[in-house]
Amino acid sequence: MRSALLSLLSAVPVAALLVTPAAAATTAGATVPFTSYEAEAGALGGGATAVSLTAAPTTQYSSPSLEASGHAYAHLAGTGQSVQWTNTTGAPISAITVRVSIPDSSAGGGQTSTLNLYVDGGLRQALNVNSKQTWLYEGNNNYNGNSQNPSDGSPRVFFDETRTLVTGTPIAPGGTLMLRKDSGNSAAYYDVDVVDVENPPAALSQPANSISITDCGAVADNTPTNGAADPASVDSRAAIQNCINQAQSQGKTLWIPAGTFYVKGTQGLQAQGITIAGAGAWYSTIYRDVPLPNSTPLPALWGLTSTTIRNLHVDSNATSRATVDGAGGSMDVTGTNWVAEGIWTQHTLSGFWASGTGGTIRNNRLTTIWADGANINNVSMGNSVGNNLTITNNFVRGTGDDALAINSVNYNDIDGTRVYYTPMANAVVTNNTSIAPWGGKGVGIYGGGGHRIENNYVSDTARYIGLGAGRFGVNGNDLLSASVTGNVVVRSGGNAYNQGQPAFHIGNGGDGQNVGVVDRVTASNNTVVNSLYDGIGFSTSTNTVLQNNTVTSPGRNGIVISPPFYPAPSGSATITGNTVTGGGTPYLNNSGGFSASLSGNSWQGGGTPEAPYGGTPAAIPGTVQAENYNTGGQGVAYNVSSVNGTANGYRTDGVDLESTSDAGGGYNLGWTSTGQWFHYTVNVATAGTYTVAMRVAAPSAVTNAFHFAGTTVSVPATGGWQNWAIVTTQVTLPAGLQTLTVSQDNGGWNLNSLQFTGGGSGNLAAGKPTSESSHNQAYASSNLTDGNQSSYWESANNAFPQWAQVDLGSAQSVSRAVLQLPTSWGARDQTLSLLGSTDGINFTTVKASATYTFSPTVTLTFPATTQRYWRVSITANTGWPAAQLSELQLQA
């Protein structure tokens, strides 16, 4: 059955009404049964003013313009001030929703008032408005808190929404509607953000084979709530639950007729395997009334398993997202093939918190929600899976956390026990509209794999990323694949925590944690317009494809790898066919360890993509000349803070090159400084450990001068810029084509060349017998010494600590251990120590426990020690709840 909420003849994409330029957004966003008129675009009268955000925020705190849709609103502060629109919908208007802010009361807790509605110049009715479910304060160390004390200062949560059926004759096409502050409207001012106008269909009739909640004793109370419950209302919770039980036992539909029905107290409603139907979201309301202040943990109002629910309105008296203020979720959902459609939810903790398999959230309205609008996950109601879940064609505005989220949880600690969950797979988020979340993202993609996020419209985030693909915190699953296509992100990003967050973000760092793997995100044909800071930002992530996206007029820069507060010490991406216009620098790569392959982007001006100098990769074993860094230009093949070179006769972009007096002549790399880096494409003949002899010169010694291939090099004092010496180190390289990045950590030295020799395995552990504390399935420790990096050892799950060891057959001197994971895996951190023993019983610590990032190789060096048995002990792994290694190499 099609939702009554969405059964208008003239439904239009809301995105087309709200985006500039509109042409960029016509295919993105939800199709909704109403038209939105922005107040700042209306006809202002009587001295009313339009207030707009004029610059990106310079503090982490909020403001009314920051939280408004369009980042602007109409301010009515004096008697007779008004804002007016003409009905251009082509249909009558019989219902309106006004998003408006009025002042808090002096002591906090809000006030009630009215605002007059005029139709065709005549007073039609007074609309009830209030500030009882707005105005929280963040000063006095309450940032992101729920203080309702105005003396704390730094307010947020300004706008609420009031919905009203127009009394009398509907507003005809071509007619006018006006909101005006008259002498009887008692609030000091009215900040009008937007109005939604529509002509909802008549209430639906009770379906066949159904049981009405009124038959079980539920009693409607239609007194307007206006921010608080009617104290004279009747509690219908027991009657509704009794009716649910009867519907379940009799195989009937539960019918909720027109009217407002109260569920009082701290308990919710539970249903399984039935259909719950209302007369329409304008007519049937379930209102949750929690006694305040509340000290009892609150379940969701609805706890639904394998259930279809449609066509009703949910509201509550919660005054913040805190339990003490009555916040509980609207609908917790799980099971199989469930459906939630045609629901309009307001003032609850969340709209949908949903897990299971094959469920769908569609055609809903979620406005003024304290936390998430719709969060699909793998934990709701104790379930452990979240597969093939869909969020489609929903309208979300004014949430206090993510408007829409895919939330794949790895584990939760429950009553002292760590509980693990199955990573989510194949979530679909399509054609939704997310507007003005004041405390979260427009769309958040957190972990799992196989997700598809298409044709969503996101605008006007107040403080956070508009569209983000990553992982949520330390207990979230890695994000292992996602397709993000055709989305439009407008006026998004924000300055929460003074971070200057990008409008569209790809990489780890969800929830402020720079952890986890983000791999194989394909982002194509997305449009980012008027971002408050950077348009698209990358933190650590691998195998990203950023293709054919458009960034227009970013507030700071266009596409940035490692923007402020979003580090990318490693990672990889293919960036091709993207267009950046306006703003600052079109493209920046602030990371020496993030490899980006660029081609066909607007800022490249038709130039060639990154390539090895001279067209041929340098061979290893062999010598890599410092002057032969890749071609491709600034931010692509190299990153320099200034251009100083004198050797442009050798190559036109010889940014830091000069003629050298070193043996053999040619050119050296100079003018080194912190943060600069250079790429070299090489072809490694054989995987193994190579000795690298580097020709360096420096007037004074430089500690930690540069790093490459996981090795940091210090440069000794050689007596002058052209007095050359050799410094050696060892690096372990996989076979084949790859990019080496020489990253300058401290300046004051010159580099002429890097000569790679050796490359034999030198691996004392090759082919030697192994043992382990445990293994999972066929992933035994024998894989550690088979020379195949694709095979691996994996211990039993959820049973740290775990260990694996190799027996060299006799005591041998070792000074280096190389630990690897498969090259196809994303990066992960493991906490481990290295132990040695001469008898296999008594072990000593060779390398103390520490956390290492596998991407995919970790090299441990230590003073040479002679042992027969070598053991790696692992106590934690961010990538999987078990110990994992593919190769354990030991070298003299």
Side-chain angles (χ1 to χ4, degrees), residues 25 72 108 160 209 216 218 228 357 441 460 474 640 654 687 732 751 774 844 849 864:
D160 199 358
N209 194 37
C216 301
T357 303
K441 297 181 180 67
D460 305 305
V474 295
V640 295
T732 300
L751 175 66
S774 67
T844 59
S849 180

Side-chain angles (χ1 to χ4, degrees), residues 412-419:
N412 281 322
D413 292 323
I414 301 175
D415 297 328
T417 300
R418 181 156 289 186
V419 178

Side-chain angles (χ1 to χ4, degrees), residues 235-256:
D235 180 13
S236 293
R237 194 203 70 81
I240 297 172
Q241 186 62 61
N242 181 34
C243 227
I244 291 171
N245 297 341
Q246 292 183 42
Q248 290 175 170
S249 64
Q250 299 172 25
K252 292 184 176 181
T253 293
L254 179 76
W255 170 245
I256 301 175

Side-chain angles (χ1 to χ4, degrees), residues 128 219-225 230 233-234 257-262 283-285:
N128 286 326
V219 177
D221 182 328
N222 297 325
T223 301
T225 54
D230 177 11
S233 62
V234 174
T260 299
F261 298 89
Y262 277 74
Y283 307 107
S284 299
T285 296

Side-chain angles (χ1 to χ4, degrees), residues 225 260 316 342 349 453 608 723 768:
T225 54
T260 299
S316 94
L349 179 64
I453 301 89
T608 58
N723 296 336
K768 295 296 195 295

Side-chain angles (χ1 to χ4, degrees), residues 597-623:
S597 174
L598 284 82
S599 63
N601 300 290
S602 63
W603 61 89
Q604 293 180 283
T608 58
E610 183 176 12
Y613 182 78
T616 302
I620 293 179
T623 299

Side-chain angles (χ1 to χ4, degrees), residues 56 489 492-494 499-505 528-538 546 550-565 578-590 602-603 634 639:
V489 183
S492 293
Q499 290 180 342
Q501 299 184 16
F504 180 11
H505 169 249
V528 181
V529 181
N530 294 332
S531 59
L532 294 185
Y533 301 97
D534 297 318
I536 301 175
F538 287 85
L546 190 73
T550 300
V551 179
T552 303
S553 300
R556 194 158 60 188
N557 300 303
I559 298 171
V560 184
I561 295 169
S562 193
F565 300 98
N578 301 284
T579 300
V580 178
T581 57
T585 302
Y587 170 77
L588 287 172
N589 185 347
N590 295 322
S602 63
W603 61 89
Q634 166 66 19
N639 178 59

